[in-house]
Amino acid sequence: MSALRTLFIGGTGVISSACVRAAVTAGHEVTVVTRGRSRQRPPPDGVRALEADARDAEALRGVLRGVLGDERFDVVASFIGYSASDVAVDLEVFAGRTDQYVFISTCSVYAHPAAVLPLRESAARSAPLFEYPANKIVCEDLLLAAHRTTGFPVTIVRPAHVYDRTTLPLLAGWTAVERMRQCRPVVVHGDGTSLWNLMHADDFARAFVPLLGNPRAVGEAVHVTSSELITWDQIHLAVARAAGVEPVLVHRSSEDIGRVVEWMDVVLREDFRHSVLYDRSRLGDLVPGFAEQYTVASGMRETVEWFDADPARRTVDESLDEAFDVLAGTRAPVG
């Protein structure tokens, strides 16, 4: 494929930074628009970095006009579209100015529990109580309506749970690892056997970049997910083994956890407790031969090594630590 003139809205997050690196490696000309530079995930050499509030149409137009004039982009990819107003800005600014607009959505848009597994991209979408996927559904619908009525060249990409070396794919984060290393129980929702999908950001990026400039992906929604089947108990075991310990796992219902840790309530009840399995046949058609390079085990080893390399990264949430003691029965509830 020839080099593409690409614009990434966002470029310093877990997913977007990996995609920027992969696009540069593939030889594409990459411009990113962010609110500021990231110390943790700075853009690589060769990337044109612009600073603007991408959710302000005039500010976005201004920064692009100042550097790029009225030229078109082969691809615009939005990693920070979270609301109808966000998408409205991009429809206004990029209509007629790009051959492909890629919107990063989420696999959390699907109705749970799923009526049929594996989930196809055409499966029912519904998230009445979970704001994040509910807003993504609204964004998807606006973009697809624009595609139907005006030909706006949208591609919707749905990732599942993506992590990189700086993130642990546990709601308790590093607090869970510290508890494991202290031989204290870590709480897992349900019975720990529900299936989940974890994908390393570098693997996501390797699947994502070949979708750019692909006319067969326009007007489509595509899963970019891992092929590895893994339960929540297995995820915790992979983290523990990377940390050099055997964990003590205690199982509690999502409802019980939500009563003690309020912010986990909707996430667990509406998303994490449900088994998920995604059909990847469309991705296989569009990116033939794609296969992940990371397993969850190898990814967790990389992540734990990153945290262990700097004590400042190994922070413990004291309120969550206390909540786990309550849920594990080693501390009496307060009040």
Side-chain angles (χ1 to χ4, degrees):
M1 179 185 293
S2 59
L4 298 172
R5 188 179 178 87
T6 63
L7 175 68
F8 286 8
I9 308 300
T12 60
V14 169
I15 295 178
S16 59
S17 61
C19 291
V20 168
R21 293 192 301 271
V24 171
T25 299
H28 300 314
E29 179 184 331
V30 180
T31 299
V32 300
V33 177
T34 65
R35 290 189 176 186
R37 292 183 177 271
S38 167
R39 293 182 180 179
Q40 188 161 289
R41 304 184 188 93
D45 292 342
V47 172
R48 180 190 288 113
L50 307 178
E51 293 186 18
D53 180 358
R55 304 285 54 99
D56 181 328
E58 287 307 310
L60 184 57
R61 279 200 192 93
V63 72
L64 294 176
R65 189 181 301 117
V67 175
L68 304 171
D70 293 324
E71 294 187 43
R72 290 174 56 88
F73 301 99
D74 295 310
V75 178
V76 175
S78 174
F79 295 87
I80 59 170
Y82 302 114
S83 68
S85 59
D86 295 343
V87 169
V89 167
D90 288 354
L91 286 169
E92 179 183 342
V93 173
F94 297 114
R97 200 174 174 183
T98 186
D99 296 322
Q100 184 187 29
Y101 173 91
V102 183
F103 178 73
I104 309 302
S105 185
T106 173
C107 283
S108 295
V109 297
Y110 295 113
H112 295 307
V116 177
L117 292 175
L119 284 157
R120 296 176 180 267
E121 287 87 349
S122 58
R125 297 168 302 144
S126 178
L129 301 178
F130 194 179
E131 185 178 12
Y132 172 68
N135 285 339
K136 288 289 191 179
I137 292 171
V138 172
C139 292
E140 286 189 9
D141 288 347
L142 287 171
L143 290 165
L144 290 170
H147 176 69
R148 289 192 299 270
T149 58
T150 69
F152 188 73
V154 64
T155 297
I156 293 171
V157 171
R158 294 181 185 143
H161 191 158
V162 181
Y163 69 96
D164 70 358
R165 65 193 182 102
T166 71
T167 56
L168 277 165
L170 307 176
L171 287 179
W174 189 257
T175 301
V177 179
E178 288 294 341
R179 292 181 66 89
M180 290 175 183
R181 284 180 167 170
Q182 296 166 13
C183 299
R184 298 165 64 204
V186 171
V187 177
V188 182
H189 61 277
D191 64 2
T193 63
S194 58
L195 291 170
W196 197 241
N197 192 281
L198 292 179
M199 190 175 207
H200 194 285
D202 288 349
D203 281 335
F204 177 92
R206 290 176 49 252
F208 175 82
V209 168
L211 296 173
L212 306 182
N214 187 336
R216 295 174 57 222
V218 173
E220 297 279 340
V222 185
H223 292 152
V224 178
T225 56
S226 170
S227 61
E228 185 176 8
L229 297 178
I230 193 163
T231 69
W232 276 106
D233 270 2
Q234 290 171 331
I235 292 169
H236 282 78
L237 287 169
V239 172
R241 287 167 184 166
V245 297
E246 286 295 325
V248 178
L249 302 182
V250 173
H251 298 96
R252 294 290 181 268
S253 72
S254 297
E255 291 81 1
D256 285 347
I257 296 171
R259 279 190 284 269
V260 178
V261 187
E262 185 176 354
W263 64 266
M264 288 188 184
D265 184 44
V266 171
V267 177
L268 289 176
R269 286 191 296 110
E270 297 299 310
D271 200 7
F272 279 38
R273 75 174 177 179
H274 299 287
S275 283
V276 291
L277 177 62
Y278 301 105
D279 184 284
R280 297 205 317 174
S281 57
R282 189 65 183 126
L283 179 64
D285 290 341
L286 295 168
V287 188
F290 169 73
E292 304 97 291
Q293 294 182 349
Y294 282 86
T295 63
V296 170
S298 64
M300 292 306 94
R301 287 194 295 271
E302 179 187 81
T303 297
V304 171
E305 287 174 3
W306 184 86
F307 278 92
D308 277 341
D310 184 351
R313 298 168 181 165
R314 303 195 297 269
T315 58
V316 172
D317 184 321
E318 292 185 4
S319 63
L320 187 55
D321 191 44
E322 293 177 2
F324 269 32
D325 282 342
V326 170
L327 287 161
T330 59
R331 179 194 296 261
V334 177

